[in-house]
Structure formats: structure tokens, C-alpha cells
Amino acid sequence: MIRYGFCGFLIGVLLFLMSSCLGTDSTDTEDWALANAQIASFSVACDSVPELASVIFTIDQVNGEIFNKDSMPYGTILKEKVICTLTYEVGALGVQIMPEATGDTVSTTDSVDFTMPVKIVVYPYDGISQKTYVARLNIHQVNPDSIIWNRSSELIKGRAFDDIKVVLFNAKYILYALEKGIIRVYTSDNPDEGEWTAKSLTGLSENIDISQITEYDGLLYAVSGGVLFGSADGLEWKKTEGAPPIKALLGSVPEGAANKKTLLAAITDEDSEQLYFTVFDKETGWTTGDKVPDNFPLTGFGGVNYESMYYQRLLIAAGRDAKGNVSDKSWSTIDGRQWVALSNAGATFSPREGASVFGYDSCLFLFGGTNSTGAALKDIYRSKDNGVTWFSEDYVFPNDFAARGFTSAFVDKENYILLFGGKVGRDMKVLNELWRGRINRLGFKDD
């Protein structure tokens, strides 16, 4: 306990000195200053944790709280007590510092245990009033770069599907499901709440490849038996006239700062022996590009758009080629007619098909898939150079999260990764579920 020294004589001297400093013209000003117990600045330091010296503390005078808005990194450990440095707006006649961790009262010259909140009581010069603060040192209690996963809901309650594909179109999620040879469609504005509405579907046959449904120029496109179909709402589909026989629908290249035209990229079978890259744009129609390399994937690939050097690009990764081999490569294009293999053999994902590829946290992510033997995977790779190199990330999934391939993946406005469905096991059973996960630091608030 800090005691008041020199009894009334010292208080009288201090009052005289304060009066001399503040002047005698305003008694109100003197009273306010003598009763001012506010802390003006606060800092802590410790030799074993030098980073403490750069921590900036906020002083909330209204609520009596002292804290650092920017929490110290996860894993920071205070093995020793720290030295507190206080300054005051006017001064202090006495200060009590009471760490919650020990329950003791220490002086400002003592080291303080900050593993728990610390109570600070400041007594001003009037010897009557006081101000109490609670000071705390915030340290991230979870790894900011880890992902917490939660199973949000069953997608369509009580149904068992043979295939699922979810697309995001016109700010609405559309779920295409194959059930006993029948294609069903559902729409949702809030899929994480399990709110899906069954809709009528016309114009598509059961042999449509729902995995390659692609958006281009405000329409959805899909291939059924080599025939291209288009839809303005995802529900009513019509054959696209003038399209060549389509072997695979690869995706689209949106408009960018350097490339003004949007393109629909595909592979066509020109002479039944050689495959060619082919693109469609609304101004020039269909244009044939390069021959398709033998190791280029035709099925089971994941695709994503990204921008680099002012060009919008389309990247596809993993998949199975015409010879049936699963791929460990990613490919990129600007115009859909020419494609470049990007992956570095020394830093890439293991061969697979059915991987989900998406942009997240300013990088490209690749999740899951199935390997050459059909075994499902649940690993995550990250690429910081737009698909040239891929490195496995140690993101831990819950025990009840099954490895899977052919999952529809999206990132919502709150930085959650949404994983819809997927196929598991040797029989490729379809999962009727949604999982959500987010890198912890992307959910941290500034206030």
C-alpha cells in the first residue's frame, strides 16, 4: 500500500505550489487540476520480450480501461514481470498497482505481473478523489493463421444425391443435383442457414456435365452430349446455336484493365482425332486456338479467375487428361486460345482430380480432390505466385470432416470459405452438407 507522506504539511506545500503554477485568477481551474487523476500515457517493457516496447496502449478515460487494440502475436509468453511507465495529465499524490494474478499491491518502481488484468488507482493532489483503471495486455489466444471449421447445415434435408454442383450467379447460390437420373435445382440467398427453395428446371437432360457449368457475359453455359446450352436465370436452358461440338467447357476470362473482351473457353473435337482450344466472344463468335497438349486435363479440374499484370486470367488445376492420368499441374490463359503450364515440379500439389480452386487471402488455394487410386483427400495448398508454386498448409480439420473431392468452393463477403458437398470413398458417395471456415485473423475487428 502506498501511503500519503508528510501529513498535512506536505499537502499544504503541494497545494501552494500548484496554486503558484496554475495562477490565482481562477479557483475553478485550480480545483479541477488538483482533482485530476487521469493517466496521460502508459507503456510496459521487459528485456525478455523486446516487442513490448513497441506496443501502443489506448487509454479509455470514460470507462477506465487501458489496453492495446492491436493484440500481440499468438504464442507471445510473458515469462517475467514487466516494468510499467505512467505519465499523468497533472501529477499524482499516490498510485496503487494491484495485479489480479498475485493480488498484491506494488509501487510504480516494482515489476508487475501482467499475465492477468492489473488494477491501477491514481490519487490526485487534493487527497480526496481518485480514479481507477483496469489495464490489460492483449495477446492473441488463437493462432491468427489457423482456420476454424464448422459444419453449418445439411444442404437439402432428407435427400440423397448422386451428384451436386453449386454455382454463384447474380448474387444467388444455385444448387444443381442429380438424383436417380433426374436433375433437380434449388436456389438460396442464405445457404449457411439451410434456406433452399426448389425450382423448376427445363431444357437440360440428365447427361449434362454439371461440374463444368460456367458463367459468361451474364449467362450460364453447360454441355450435354457435346452440345452447348445457355441460360439467363439458371433454370430455363436452351441450345446455343452455331456452337461447335464441345469436349470440355473450361471456364471464362472476364474483362480486365488490359483485356477488354470476355471469353468463353472450351475444347472442341475438330476431326475426332485432335482436340483444340476454342473460344467464343459475342463480337467475333467462335475462334480456334492451339492444339490441346496430351497432358492437359479434360475432366475433374478446378478453375479460378485472377488478375496479374493488369490482365484477367483463367487458371485450371489438377484433373484427368485424355489418357486417364491425374494431374499435378496448373494451367493459365489470357485469351483461351493459348495455355501455359505453370506448376513447378519441385513445388506443386500431389496428382489428383476433383480439387477445388479459389482465391482467398490474396493467394490461390487448392483444396482436396481424389488421387489416382480414388482415395479422397482433405489437404490444402496455397500459391502466392498465381499458381506457379504450391505449398501444403497445415490447416487442421475437425475429426468429423471427411476427406472429399469435387467440392464446390466459394468465399463469401465475410471471408468465410464455403465448401458445398463433395464425394467421398471408393463409391464416390455424395455429401449433402455445407462447411464454413475462415482464417482467424480475417475475422478480427479493428475496434
Side-chain angles (χ1 to χ4, degrees), residues 43 83-84 134 168 179 233 268 304-305 327 331 381 396:
S43 63
I83 298 295
C84 300
V134 174
L168 182 58
E179 183 181 20
D233 60 4
T268 58
V304 66
N305 293 113
S327 175
W331 300 75
Y381 286 79
V396 179

Side-chain angles (χ1 to χ4, degrees), residues 250 253 261 263-266 276-281 284-293 332-340:
L250 301 177
V253 183
K261 293 182 180 179
L263 302 168
L264 181 68
Y276 291 85
F277 294 118
T278 306
V279 298
F280 173 79
D281 75 67
T284 60
W286 292 93
T287 304
T288 300
D290 290 350
K291 292 182 179 180
V292 177
S332 179
T333 185
I334 294 174
D335 61 11
R337 292 183 292 269
Q338 296 177 318
W339 290 75
V340 177

Side-chain angles (χ1 to χ4, degrees), residues 352-364:
R352 64 191 65 203
E353 64 176 331
S356 303
V357 186
F358 52 94
Y360 187 59
D361 192 28
S362 301
C363 298
L364 297 183

